[in-house]
Amino acid sequence: MKLFSILFLPVFASVVAFAQQTLQSLADAELPSLLTIYKDVHSHPELSAHEERTAALVAKELRAAGCEVTEHFGSYDDPKLKAYGVIGVMKNGDGPTVLVRTDADALPVEEETGLPYASKVVVKNDDGRDVHVMHACGHDTHIAAFIGTARSLGKLKDQWHGTIVFVAQPAEEIGTGARALLKDGLYDRLGKPNFALGFHDKADIPAGHIGVTEGYTSANVDFVDVTVRGIGGHGAYPHKIKDPIVLAAEIINTWQTIVSRENNPLDPVVLTVGSIHGGTKHNVIPDEVKMQLTVRTYKSKVRERVLADIDRIAKGCAAAAGMPAELAPIVSVPKDPSTIAAYNNPELTKRLVAIWKKSLGDENVEMVDPTMGGDDFSEYSLPDHSIPAVYFHFGAVDPAKIEEFKKAGKELPTLHSSKFAPVPEPTIRTGVIGMTTAVLDLMKK
Ligand SMILES: [Zn+2]
Ligand SMILES: [Zn+2]
């Protein structure tokens, strides 16, 4: 009997060791390969709606992880654009369906990080201009963590059941990618998921941390184009013309009262006039002034009211200036690239926070403030938020660097900065663990 025990001890021990093979060690084992993928994607960034190489790489990796993969998923409103969406379906019997999303595109930014794997890519943009390209928003960290998540879940099939839909989405930065996937029948062809999960690196919390917000986490984003019309003429004869420049100035100032006087201060609103162009010369009063605005809100009712207020005030100021009705300002809100606010289902957020605290430690999970930034991850939850969704952050900054900048009273490089350089290993590792533990909890046997 004793001999039997001794003989079988090593086998027994290895079974226990296998059973204890934690997600942490799985993630650690994958890290060198994920780092190679990260550096490859980082040095080969692609602009929104041009993610051809990145999509092929993700498709290959999802197949290797055990997914059925569909490439070239998506249909943009602009027929000239090719969609490079990649959908990987991992099936494991009956059970819930969970959507896991990464984005894949980069930005027209010239990288100034000085990293050995920094991007040197220059391409022609859609207007035919040469632009540098950089993963300045860290979507390359998302791709690496997304692939790590697919690999981990492929190896942990004994711990979950159901269907995971891995979505590698193009064109997040221009706000059209998620809609293009839904328009191509993402939910009609694959069914609506029970839950949707997305993540984003964060440029102001330490690598190793997860940050999340309950409720609204990012804003409705609308772009508004305004043409203020006047009756141009000689700068020396203002009494014979209608000056659109003075009128535009009046309109801009009055718009500020939408936020300060017409809005409930407990409902956040941002109204920024980012561009104004009018005129050609000192002494010529032009016929028109063109403006471009970005408007940020959370609640859809607030969004509708603010957009209506912008129109009403522009037209009201023009009437007050004596502009004839047929020359009233033209206010338009293009559908692209508007984005709806992302709403983290409070119940689901609480559930995941508890899971992350267990897997990463209480001190590594923080509740963070929502932002007035936008992310079209919101589309997967549908406008009525009927699909419970959580969009969480993983820290991307070396804690020592955060301290160094704090001491010097300086701001860290933000997302979209040419100097944004995530510290890859702990950033990707936390992304893998955060997403995988969330999926495992929602799909556990
Ligand atoms: Zn971005
Ligand atoms: Zn981003």
Side-chain angles (χ1 to χ4, degrees):
M1 198 56 203
K2 200 173 179 200
L3 182 66
F4 181 87
S5 304
I6 290 166
L7 274 176
F8 278 83
L9 193 60
V11 178
F12 177 70
S14 71
V15 168
V16 171
F18 182 75
Q20 285 179 346
Q21 188 183 33
T22 59
L23 173 58
Q24 259 88 355
S25 60
L26 260 182
D28 288 337
E30 294 296 343
L31 259 187
S33 153
L34 296 177
L35 196 61
T36 305
I37 290 172
Y38 168 72
K39 288 180 179 171
D40 179 36
V41 175
H42 187 86
S43 53
H44 297 91
E46 294 171 300
L47 290 176
S48 306
H50 296 274
E51 307 86 345
E52 187 172 9
R53 183 185 186 277
T54 312
L57 181 152
V58 172
K60 185 179 123 229
E61 291 296 336
L62 287 180
R63 261 186 211 110
C67 294
E68 277 169 38
V69 174
T70 310
E71 294 180 72
H72 303 285
F73 207 106
S75 167
Y76 294 107
D77 290 341
D78 180 349
K80 290 194 296 298
L81 293 176
K82 270 193 199 165
Y84 292 108
V86 180
I87 310 297
V89 177
M90 193 182 276
K91 286 189 177 146
N92 193 18
D94 290 338
T97 299
V98 176
L99 181 150
V100 174
R101 179 266 212 169
T102 182
D103 35 20
D105 51 338
L107 288 157
V109 172
E110 183 172 3
E111 180 157 357
E112 294 180 308
T113 58
L115 290 166
Y117 49 90
S119 163
K120 296 181 179 66
V121 172
V122 179
V123 297
K124 290 224 181 294
N125 70 6
D126 291 339
D127 301 329
R129 272 188 302 123
D130 285 339
V131 289
H132 292 264
V133 191
M134 174 187 174
H135 266 295
C137 205
H139 296 184
D140 45 358
T141 66
H142 309 172
I143 289 166
F146 175 83
I147 291 168
T149 301
R151 287 180 181 177
S152 302
L153 289 163
K155 287 179 182 153
L156 294 169
K157 276 192 162 174
D158 58 327
Q159 295 186 28
W160 61 273
H161 65 133
T163 302
I164 308 171
V165 178
F166 289 97
V167 175
Q169 182 206 302
E172 186 281 325
E173 293 290 357
I174 55 172
T176 54
R179 260 206 305 267
L181 299 186
L182 290 165
K183 190 179 164 203
D184 198 20
L186 180 64
Y187 287 176
D188 304 328
R189 284 154 71 174
L190 299 171
K192 281 186 197 171
N194 300 95
F195 302 99
L197 300 174
F199 51 13
H200 205 294
D201 63 336
K202 196 154 166 49
D204 56 4
I205 65 173
H209 280 211
I210 279 184
V212 70
T213 310
E214 219 179 284
Y216 287 109
T217 183
S218 67
N220 295 310
V221 177
D222 285 291
F223 287 176
V224 184
D225 295 316
V226 179
T227 303
V228 176
R229 295 182 288 180
I231 300 168
H234 201 297
Y237 316 135
H239 53 296
K240 292 181 182 277
I241 52 89
K242 293 282 179 204
D243 186 345
I245 289 187
V246 172
L247 176 55
E250 182 70 31
I251 291 171
I252 291 170
N253 279 331
T254 312
W255 277 336
Q256 303 312 308
T257 64
I258 296 174
V259 182
S260 68
R261 301 291 86 189
E262 297 194 31
N263 184 60
N264 180 338
L266 299 177
D267 287 326
V269 175
V270 177
L271 190 162
T272 294
V273 180
S275 160
I276 174 163
H277 288 96
T280 52
K281 201 178 180 311
H282 306 71
N283 59 352
V284 178
I285 291 167
D287 284 319
E288 63 179 30
V289 171
K290 284 186 180 289
M291 293 191 272
Q292 294 178 310
L293 286 66
T294 186
V295 178
R296 312 285 170 124
T297 51
Y298 287 140
K299 296 177 184 166
S300 53
K301 274 201 172 134
V302 175
R303 173 197 206 179
E304 283 161 26
R305 202 202 65 233
V306 170
L307 293 174
D309 289 349
I310 288 170
D311 185 80
R312 187 198 80 226
I313 286 173
K315 288 176 179 154
C317 287
M323 286 304 301
E326 66 272 18
L327 288 178
I330 301 164
V331 179
S332 67
V333 184
K335 197 174 99 211
D336 286 340
S338 71
T339 304
I340 55 173
Y343 182 77
N344 281 346
N345 180 284
E347 213 174 296
L348 183 60
T349 309
K350 284 190 185 81
R351 178 173 168 180
L352 297 184
V353 164
I355 289 298
W356 290 324
K357 284 186 171 173
K358 263 193 214 157
S359 57
L360 291 164
D362 284 6
E363 67 286 4
N364 293 324
V365 181
E366 43 183 295
M367 301 312 290
V368 296
D369 289 335
T371 77
M372 299 310 278
D375 192 306
D376 66 358
F377 170 75
S378 52
E379 297 280 345
Y380 301 106
S381 182
L382 300 180
D384 59 358
H385 314 310
S386 55
I387 295 172
V390 166
Y391 172 84
F392 64 94
H393 302 277
F394 50 88
V397 195
D398 182 351
K401 196 172 168 187
I402 294 182
E403 273 311 302
E404 180 196 319
F405 272 68
K406 212 171 163 185
K407 268 194 197 139
K410 289 194 295 183
E411 288 288 337
L412 286 156
T414 62
L415 295 177
H416 293 200
S417 158
S418 60
K419 295 185 174 62
F420 175 56
V423 47
E425 288 96 331
T427 301
I428 295 166
R429 187 179 187 276
T430 311
V432 173
I433 292 172
M435 188 57 93
T436 309
T437 48
V439 175
L440 284 174
D441 187 61
L442 297 177
M443 306 184 81
K444 67 184 164 216
K445 277 185 170 166

